[in-house]
Every structure is written in structure tokens, then in C-alpha cells.
Amino acid sequence: RAKEEGRDRYAMFDEEMREAAVQSLDLEADLRRAINHRDFVPYFQPITRLDDGQVVGYEALLRWQHERRGLLLPAEFISLGENSGLIEQVDWLLYEQVIEQVARGGEGYVSVNVSPRHFRSPDFADRLLGLCDKHGADTTRLRVEITEVALLDDAPRTLRMLRTLRQHGVLAQLDDFGTGFSALSYLHRFPISALKIDRSFIAGMGEDGRPESLALVRAILALASTLGIDTIAEGVETDEQRAALLELGCRFGQGYLLGRPAARIGGLVTA
Ligand code: C2E
Ligand code: MG
Ligand code: MG
Ligand code: MG
């Protein structure tokens, strides 16, 4: 009996594994097709001043308009994209649309997310600047968001790339700060204009949050202030969080309280 049940369980397990494998294969085939069809669009989420709510920029967020499944979020396909190496092609399709949007004019910056994979290709900066040139986009209105991994992975190359971008007016912000191996000793060597404090710390700041979060936010703000760089709090969802961050000296925020990601850039930026 027990043996039989065991066998059944194995059979079931096999079946589930097979399904998962087939599904991810399907999705990979879908992703390849979507690249050919250019089925990706940027959504834009405002980044605002925490004191008066003034929009200073937008983050461009990747969305996949899947032919059957509707609008997909990065969580549903980004790791597949990273593992298959397809993310780079997807990103370039997105960057071009974002740069076209920037070229239409307006105020404030638009930041794009850069997968650490891109830092392995030596022509990343030139290619990005080339797209700006092609569309006549003001490079000072484009920013890149990189993660701490990129600083560690191939530091000399990342440094070169960020320097090239900065020389041409493209500033860099450090995304999800505090979740990686925050290489504090490295930080001052890189031309980073802002730290984006990861959402998990902001979520933990309230009374029912994790007690260390507030201390960590305070420490990150002190560090940024020492280095003379801006701070953007991610995932600001409540007015209590907004007020607390402001009180602690954080100037900028992004989150559902301040504005949701949307298919279009709101009034302030469009020409
Ligand atoms: P991220 O760069 O940290 O982007 C912020 C994420 O937080 C976005 O999720 C945004 O919708 C979400 N968010 C913003 N405000 C709030 C809030 O108040 N509460 C909560 N719970 N969430 C909030 P999204 O668009 O699903 O993107 C997830 C991640 O996917 C991004 O995290 C980024 O790492 C990656 N990603 C997004 N766009 C691109 C892209 O074009 N290329 C690459 N390589 N990765 C991208
Ligand atoms: Mg980002
Ligand atoms: Mg982020
Ligand atoms: Mg994040």
C-alpha cells in the first residue's frame, strides 16, 4: 500500500515537473515570438518630491502585451528573460520606445532599468547614446537604474560605462538599494546620482513593521548625504510613510500613494 502510494506521489510529482518544464518552454517560445512582434510597452510611474508632490521624473517599467494572456508584469517573465539571455533584446526594444518618448519633449527625466547582463556588452553605453542621437532625444533627460550586482560583477567595466554615460549627460541611479551586497566602500567610486531605497525598508518603517527598518533607512539616508547623492524612497504607499521619510530627510519618492504606473506620461511631461 505504502509503496503504491509512494509510486503515485512520484508519478504526480513527475507530471507537475513535466508541466512546469513545458510551460516555461512555451513561455520561452512566446517570448521569442513577442520579440519579433515587438509586443512590449513601457509603463511610466512618476517620481515626485516628497514635500510638495511635484513630479521630477518617471521610471519606465516593462510590460509584455501577451497575445493570449493579456498584459504581463516583469515578475512573470523577467527571470526567464535573464536565463535565456532574451532580456537584452526585450530591453532594447523598450529603450527605443522610451527614447522616442523622451524625444517628443517635456520636462523631467525618464529612467530605464538595466539588467546586469548588459554590463557584459562593451558597447552598451554607445548603443544607448546612439539611440538618443538617432531620435534626437535630450540625453540629460534619460537616466539608467542599475543594481548593486552590476557594481560588483565587473566593477572596472561598469565604471567605464557609467562614466561614458555621465559624460554625455545620462545619470545613473542605484536601484533596490540595501537588498544586494551593499558595497559601501565601492559606492563613492561610482558616478551614482541617486540611491533608490528598496521598498522592503519603506514597508517595514511603520509601527507594525520590522524595527530595524527605520534604523536602516536612517543609515542609508546618512550615507547618501555624506556622499552628496539624492535619495528616492520606493514603494511609498501611505501618507505616514511619506511624512516619516520627509522628516528623516529623504527628498524624493515613488509609490502608489504618489502615482501608479500608467501607459502614458501624465500632463507634466508630455510635450
Ligand atoms: P524596480 O525597478 O524596483 O521597479 C519598481 C517596481 O515596484 C515596479 O514593479 C512598480 O510597479 C512597483 N511599485 C511601485 N510603487 C509601488 C508601491 O507603492 N507598492 C508596491 N507594492 N509596488 C510598487 P514592476 O513594474 O512589476 O517591475 C518589477 C521589476 O522588474 C522592477 O523593479 C525591475 O527590477 C524589473 N524591470 C522593470 N522594467 C524593466 C525593464 O525594462 N528591463 C529590465 N531588465 N527589468 C525591468
Ligand atoms: Mg527600477
Ligand atoms: Mg527599484
Ligand atoms: Mg524594487
Side-chain angles (χ1 to χ4, degrees):
R1 265 246 64 154
K3 222 174 184 177
E4 242 166 61
E5 266 176 27
R7 244 198 323 270
D8 283 354
R9 256 203 301 278
Y10 277 122
M12 233 161 72
F13 189 55
D14 277 355
E15 180 60 21
E16 272 170 23
M17 295 229 305
R18 199 190 60 82
E19 248 170 54
V22 167
Q23 267 179 21
S24 87
L25 263 184
D26 280 356
L27 197 63
E28 184 170 334
D30 285 2
L31 192 57
R32 289 182 191 279
R33 205 168 31 249
I35 290 169
N36 287 328
H37 295 173
R38 302 169 171 258
D39 290 337
F40 305 94
V41 289
Y43 266 46
F44 299 94
Q45 184 177 29
I47 295 166
T48 72
R49 288 205 301 242
L50 286 173
D51 54 0
D52 61 2
Q54 169 84 34
V55 176
V56 295
Y58 290 84
E59 177 175 10
L61 295 163
L62 174 63
R63 300 291 181 262
W64 174 3
Q65 274 169 334
H66 192 284
E67 49 194 1
R68 295 181 312 278
R69 296 169 57 190
L71 200 68
L72 300 187
L73 296 169
E76 297 172 87
F77 62 90
I78 212 104
S79 60
L80 170 67
E82 297 269 359
N83 296 333
S84 60
L86 294 169
I87 193 62
E88 287 167 82
Q89 293 178 63
V90 174
D91 274 348
W92 283 112
L93 290 172
L94 197 83
Y95 298 161
E96 183 145 27
Q97 292 184 64
V98 170
I99 286 167
E100 278 169 4
Q101 172 70 49
V102 169
R104 282 181 209 122
E107 290 160 36
Y109 62 84
V110 183
S111 63
V112 293
N113 289 285
V114 179
S115 153
R117 286 190 75 104
H118 289 292
F119 287 87
R120 289 187 216 150
S121 47
D123 67 339
F124 177 82
D126 290 338
R127 196 169 161 190
L128 197 68
L129 295 166
L131 274 181
C132 290
D133 200 43
K134 172 181 165 194
H135 293 283
D138 175 359
T139 52
T140 65
R141 293 193 47 230
L142 184 68
R143 292 195 185 186
V144 291
E145 295 196 0
I146 63 165
T147 55
E148 290 153 284
V149 182
L151 301 192
L152 293 174
D153 249 15
D154 190 353
R157 193 180 269 182
T158 302
L159 186 57
R160 260 200 310 280
M161 198 168 294
L162 293 182
R163 281 195 178 140
T164 305
L165 288 172
R166 170 160 288 197
Q167 272 159 16
H168 292 85
V170 180
L171 299 181
Q173 345 202 96
L174 202 51
D175 209 353
D176 303 331
F177 188 75
T179 59
F181 302 91
S182 303
L184 298 190
S185 58
Y186 274 52
L187 204 54
H188 75 278
R189 289 206 251 138
F190 290 87
I192 298 288
S193 73
L195 294 183
K196 299 188 76 174
I197 307 171
D198 190 65
R199 193 172 79 218
S200 57
F201 300 110
I202 312 306
M205 275 174 65
E207 297 209 321
D208 48 353
R210 287 173 293 129
E212 68 273 23
S213 291
L214 190 65
L216 286 167
V217 170
R218 222 189 280 274
I220 294 170
L221 291 170
L223 170 73
S225 151
T226 302
L227 297 175
I229 55 191
D230 281 332
T231 42
I232 303 166
E234 295 187 319
V236 181
E237 294 184 350
T238 68
D239 200 55
E240 290 71 43
Q241 290 167 342
R242 188 194 62 82
L245 285 159
L246 201 54
E247 176 92 22
L248 291 172
C250 182
R251 290 186 62 209
F252 304 101
Q254 180 180 353
Y256 297 160
L257 176 76
L258 310 165
R260 297 219 168 220
R264 284 170 192 291
I265 280 185
L268 270 170
V269 164
T270 14

